[in-house]
C-alpha cells in the first residue's frame, strides 16, 4: 500500500495522465484520472492549498481566478464526451420496479 510521499507522487501523476488521455481522445480514462484525484484528496482531507493547486480557484459568480493542474475546460470536455458516448457511471438509466414508486400497492403511504 502506498504511504506518504509515494501516495502524493501518484496523485501528482494524475494531471499528466489526464492530459495524455485527453490528447489521445480517451475521455473516460481522462475523467477517471480527475475523479480519482478528486476523491482521494477529499477522502484524505487535503489542505486547501493542495486542493487549489489541483483544481484551481474561483471567485464570485464562478469566475476562474487561477487554473489548477486539471484545466477546467478540459475536465468539462471529458465529462461532456463521456455523457455523449454513454461512457460514465454517473449517467446510468434506472428502470423503476413494477408496483414500486409509481403509486402502486407497495408504496409507503403517509
Amino acid at each position: 500500500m502506498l504511504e506518504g510521499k509515494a501516495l502524493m507522487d501518484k496523485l501528482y501523476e494524475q494531471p499528466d495522465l489526464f492530459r495524455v488521455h485527453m490528447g489521445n481522445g480517451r475521455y473516460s480514462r481522462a475523467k477517471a484520472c480527475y475523479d480519482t484525484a478528486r476523491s482521494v484528496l477529499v477522502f484524505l482531507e487535503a489542505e486547501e492549498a493542495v486542493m487549489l493547486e489541483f483544481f484551481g480557484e474561483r471567485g464570485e459568480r464562478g469566475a476562474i481566478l487561477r487554473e489548477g493542474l486539471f484545466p477546467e475546460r478540459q475536465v468539462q470536455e471529458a465529462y461532456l464526451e463521456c455523457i455523449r458516448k454513454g461512457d460514465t457511471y454517473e449517467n446510468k438509466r434506472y428502470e423503476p420496479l413494477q408496483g414500486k414508486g409509481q403509486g402502486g400497492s407497495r408504496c409507503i403511504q403517509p
Side-chain angles (χ1 to χ4, degrees), residues 15-79:
D16 294 331
L17 289 171
F18 173 85
R19 284 189 284 283
V20 168
H21 292 313
M22 286 298 292
N24 293 323
R26 293 181 289 194
Y27 301 108
S28 62
R29 289 184 184 188
K31 182 179 170 300
C33 291
Y34 174 82
D35 289 342
T36 298
R38 184 190 63 205
S39 296
V40 170
L41 288 168
V42 168
F43 179 77
L44 294 176
E45 298 177 6
E47 296 177 7
E48 184 176 357
V50 174
M51 297 298 280
L52 292 174
E53 181 181 5
F54 272 85
F55 307 111
E57 182 177 4
R58 289 184 164 273
E60 290 187 32
R61 298 186 181 152
I64 297 173
L65 301 176
R66 183 176 56 157
E67 194 73 66
L69 295 174
F70 288 97
E72 186 160 340
R73 184 190 60 74
Q74 286 188 312
V75 170
Q76 290 175 352
E77 180 183 353
Y79 268 77

